[in-house]
Amino acid sequence: MAPQALETHGSGVYVGELMAYFSASAAFCQLTSQLYIEHESALTAFVGQLQSNPGVKPTVENLEIIASQVGIPIVLEIVLDEDCEVSADTHFEVVDNAAKSWKLWRSVLLNREQGIPAHWIKKFYFPRLLDYRDLATVKNPRLLEQTIDSSLMVGGMMQSWHKDTPGDLLLAFKKQYGKTNFSQSMNFDEASVERFFNLNGMLDAATRLLNQMTIWQDIDALAKKQGIPLQ
């Protein structure tokens, strides 16, 4: 699969720091919530098998069909090759106040009519992907790593919901975990994109669905601790 241009739709693409993770988590949660509504009984059975038989690959009806609809949150590292018009992030400022939006909140929206060319995208970041066998080990470090990745997305929610300043949030996150991005990353080129889709966490239907559920549960639990509703 060759990298393609990224099209912008609606209000545009979030450009910035934590609000890029907010955007990724919002899209992910909306997709997962809709998937759960459509396949509630199958997904309830899937989660039940994971809980009752940790480390054993779940089997549910229509697993391949359901898994084909799942996705994981992705954040792109983009270097602009030209001056681009941006608008303010209206979570914080009126649409014409882009300069203040960037200065105070490190967040603006880019809406380039032609989309974002593939060669502007340098890297892509994504959460740690688990295997169902990871659930068989108590305090598995991979589970913790995925939860930390989820907490970064909830940091974006905290900025949006509580109007917390991104600098303070990122400083606290870096102090605790030593990073300010998802734990996994790849260069954005044809070979890396192909390698990403051939990871077991993406290639295997049960494992792909597992990661959809575990990331969603982490985001939900962490958001509730901050008093942030996902709906």
Side-chain angles (χ1 to χ4, degrees):
M1 178 181 293
Q4 303 293 318
L6 174 67
E7 295 183 6
T8 57
H9 300 281
S11 57
V13 173
Y14 281 99
V15 178
E17 296 175 333
L18 268 176
M19 288 302 286
Y21 284 89
F22 167 82
S23 179
S25 64
F28 171 80
C29 289
Q30 182 179 8
L31 171 67
T32 310
S33 179
Q34 185 61 39
L35 189 73
Y36 189 81
I37 290 170
E38 293 175 3
H39 304 282
E40 183 175 357
S41 59
L43 293 179
T44 300
F46 182 87
V47 172
Q49 288 183 42
L50 290 173
Q51 293 172 340
S52 61
N53 296 293
V56 178
K57 187 173 183 176
T59 56
V60 297
E61 189 176 354
N62 297 324
L63 179 61
E64 291 283 350
I65 294 173
I66 298 171
S68 69
Q69 301 172 54
V70 310
I72 64 169
I74 295 286
V75 169
L76 304 176
E77 179 181 311
I78 299 172
V79 177
L80 304 182
D81 253 8
E82 63 187 46
D83 291 336
C84 294
E85 186 175 344
V86 296
S87 58
D89 182 342
T90 53
H91 287 94
F92 311 108
E93 305 292 341
V94 296
V95 68
D96 295 331
N97 213 346
K100 186 177 180 182
S101 181
W102 181 255
K103 183 178 180 180
L104 295 182
W105 304 105
R106 307 300 290 179
S107 181
V108 291
L109 279 84
L110 184 151
N111 199 348
R112 187 173 182 268
E113 185 177 348
Q114 304 91 333
I116 297 174
H119 69 274
W120 288 17
I121 306 172
K122 305 305 178 185
K123 296 179 73 173
F124 62 101
Y125 296 83
F126 56 96
R128 165 63 69 186
L129 299 180
L130 305 177
D131 188 274
Y132 54 89
R133 287 165 291 198
D134 291 327
L135 304 186
T137 306
V138 178
K139 296 183 179 180
N140 187 301
R142 292 165 61 87
L143 280 167
L144 176 60
E145 195 167 23
Q146 189 181 86
T147 298
I148 292 170
D149 287 333
S150 296
S151 70
L152 186 58
M153 290 185 278
V154 175
M157 293 180 183
M158 291 169 66
Q159 179 179 338
S160 173
W161 187 261
H162 298 311
K163 302 297 186 288
D164 292 335
T165 57
D168 291 342
L169 289 168
L170 283 170
L171 184 62
F173 190 86
K174 185 172 184 179
K175 186 176 181 179
Q176 186 168 0
Y177 301 117
K179 58 186 178 183
T180 55
N181 285 309
F182 280 147
S183 60
Q184 310 302 300
S185 66
M186 290 184 180
N187 292 329
F188 190 79
D189 54 50
E190 187 171 351
S192 295
V193 170
E194 183 175 355
R195 188 166 72 252
F196 170 76
F197 283 107
N198 280 302
L199 293 173
N200 190 58
M202 296 300 295
L203 198 60
D204 178 71
T207 309
R208 191 160 67 248
L209 191 55
L210 160 70
N211 283 284
Q212 183 91 1
M213 293 293 102
T214 54
I215 293 172
W216 191 39
Q217 289 174 345
D218 271 346
I219 293 174
D220 183 53
L222 291 165
K224 283 178 179 175
K225 286 183 179 180
Q226 299 297 329
I228 302 172
L230 292 188
Q231 296 297 333

